[in-house]
Amino acid sequence: MKLQRKNRLRATALGALAVSGALVLTACGSDDNSGSTGGNGGKTSAASNIKCDDAKGQLLASGSSAQKNAMDLWVKNYMAGCSGVEVNYKSSSSGEGIIAFNQGTVGFAGSDSALKPEEVAESKKMCKGGQGINLPMVGGPIAIGYHLEGVDNLTLDAPTLAKIFDGKIKKWNDPAIAKLNSGAKLPGKDIQAFHRSEDSGTTQNLGKYLGAAAPNDWKYEAEKKWPAPGGQAASGSSGVAAQVKQVDGAIGYFELSYATSQSISTVDIATGGAAPVKATSENASKAIAAAKIKGTGKDLALELDYTTKAEGAYPIVLVTYEVVCDKGNKAETLSTVKSFLNYTAGDEGQKLLTEAGYAPIPAEINAKVRETIASLS
């Protein structure tokens, strides 16, 4: 396998300017995060234009499963460009990632929700002289995936979604669904709604959307733990997607990349605009572009508009943050953290997002992300 990967990368370096994420993934599989090949240590890699600086050794990170597919590409390309470096990202959940970060067991964490005040306070114990901050790195739509035999196109709005996930709408031929899908042959099947079993930033972002766009029908606080009774639980975005793909009558939520990779149908969202909006990276970017920075100092937490009616703007979006210390990062991993995040926030790293079903961070915000990464100490 290692010989195959080296040969593949050598061919790529001769034939192209950048190492393709697809080639690296096919070399050894999307979940193999071990080993490294190619690159020039502290120099810029000719194969992929990755600036390795003084990166070395092993960098552990964990958290959001929402960014797993992006992180798989980033890690593979980065290790291909920087010899002697191993980046190991454990895809679990935002909640678990923040716990690991505040315990000091990872160099950075991935989270689909910005740190809460109490989490920032806890981070100060680990970030000596500093605190945890949020760096927006990955954007994208939260797709509402469904499996309904004979129904290839489905439109829902926020109130109807809220009632479905709250167990108030139980059948697929409910009048509320039929009204939004004139002419569709909706079966009288039971709706089987799936949600995340563990604390999840994806859950929290869906809750923020439902609470903002359907306040009369979704009375729950936007928390990482699934709040509504009923439904069925599955672990991780991959687990929810697997259940939706398998079960006729199912509906669930996960990042678009899980839907596209498994050919799962996704719901168009009626926002009150001229036409329902499809879950695409481009449409998510239109919504994320309107985000405002609400963090202070070096913290770049964003405020999203979940009630947008802008033409073609898909409203159910999330932004995944990489959580790092502004000061007090561990000396043995600081250079690698900065080098790796410079790559992910750079033009090459962000370009991969669209190809993987995500949305790049808007340029104006991303410029501030790069400045902040350079200042980490």
Side-chain angles (χ1 to χ4, degrees):
M1 182 66 72
K2 290 183 178 179
L3 179 62
Q4 180 187 3
R5 177 168 58 190
K6 288 180 180 178
N7 290 340
R8 181 70 59 87
L9 291 175
R10 187 178 296 114
T12 304
L14 292 171
L17 292 175
V19 176
S20 154
L23 285 173
V24 178
L25 284 173
T26 54
C28 273
S30 63
D31 290 326
D32 175 13
N33 288 346
S34 62
S36 57
T37 187
N40 301 302
K43 300 178 181 180
T44 300
S45 164
S48 58
N49 299 316
I50 295 173
K51 192 174 182 182
C52 305
D53 294 325
D54 297 320
K56 60 185 178 181
Q58 185 182 61
L59 173 62
L60 300 179
S62 70
S64 163
S65 66
Q67 67 172 0
K68 177 187 183 300
N69 294 333
M71 193 60 71
D72 282 347
L73 290 170
W74 284 337
V75 166
K76 284 293 185 180
N77 284 4
Y78 181 80
M79 292 199 309
C82 297
S83 63
V85 183
E86 180 181 348
V87 180
N88 192 321
Y89 181 83
K90 178 184 177 183
S91 172
S92 51
S93 69
S94 298
E96 292 178 55
I98 291 172
I99 289 172
F101 175 76
N102 281 339
Q103 290 176 340
T105 60
V106 294
F108 70 88
S111 177
D112 308 330
S113 296
L115 293 169
K116 294 179 179 179
E118 59 268 29
E119 292 170 337
V120 173
E122 184 70 17
S123 74
K124 293 179 180 180
K125 300 175 184 177
M126 197 273 294
C127 302
K128 303 302 183 184
Q131 66 178 48
I133 58 172
N134 305 282
L135 301 178
M137 197 67 67
V138 181
I142 300 175
I144 307 298
Y146 73 97
H147 178 175
L148 195 57
E149 296 295 337
V151 179
D152 297 326
N153 297 288
L154 186 69
T155 296
L156 298 172
D157 58 13
T160 307
L161 273 174
K163 292 171 186 172
I164 287 173
F165 282 116
D166 199 20
K168 301 293 175 58
I169 292 179
K170 301 180 183 297
K171 298 283 188 180
W172 277 109
N173 60 354
D174 187 275
I177 300 177
K179 183 178 180 181
L180 292 164
N181 295 275
S182 178
K185 295 181 179 180
L186 298 169
K189 276 192 184 78
D190 289 340
I191 295 175
Q192 300 196 51
F194 287 88
H195 58 263
R196 293 281 288 275
S197 59
E198 74 286 0
D199 285 3
S200 160
T202 311
T203 294
Q204 188 170 38
N205 279 277
L206 176 65
K208 288 178 180 178
Y209 163 73
L210 293 175
N216 294 327
D217 299 292
W218 191 257
K219 302 294 187 180
Y220 306 101
E221 293 294 323
E223 298 291 347
K224 290 175 182 169
K225 184 176 180 62
W226 181 255
Q232 301 178 61
S235 177
S237 292
S238 58
V240 175
Q243 290 297 321
V244 171
K245 183 173 180 63
Q246 179 179 344
V247 178
D248 187 17
I251 188 169
Y253 59 94
F254 33 80
E255 294 67 42
L256 180 63
S257 59
Y258 290 90
T260 54
S261 65
Q262 298 186 51
S263 301
I264 297 173
S265 299
T266 60
V267 171
D268 297 345
I269 302 298
T271 63
V277 185
K278 293 187 177 298
T280 68
S281 297
E282 180 183 3
N283 291 344
S285 293
K286 293 177 183 177
I288 296 172
K292 306 295 183 185
I293 294 176
K294 65 177 182 179
T296 57
K298 293 183 179 181
D299 184 74
L300 300 178
L302 302 179
E303 183 175 353
L304 300 168
D305 180 8
Y306 296 99
T307 61
T308 180
K309 294 181 175 61
E311 190 67 24
Y314 184 82
I316 318 177
V317 294
L318 61 72
V319 169
T320 291
Y321 302 94
E322 312 309 344
V323 177
V324 295
C325 298
D326 57 356
K327 297 178 182 178
N329 289 279
K330 293 181 178 179
E332 61 267 29
T333 56
L334 175 60
S335 293
T336 308
V337 167
K338 293 176 72 171
S339 172
F340 180 70
L341 295 183
N342 268 323
Y343 163 63
T344 64
D347 291 339
E348 185 178 338
Q350 289 290 296
K351 182 181 177 182
L352 283 177
L353 292 179
T354 300
E355 300 169 7
Y358 296 93
I361 299 300
E364 182 178 346
I365 296 171
N366 194 44
K368 296 181 180 180
V369 172
R370 295 188 205 187
E371 290 176 12
T372 302
I373 293 169
S375 73
L376 299 179
S377 63

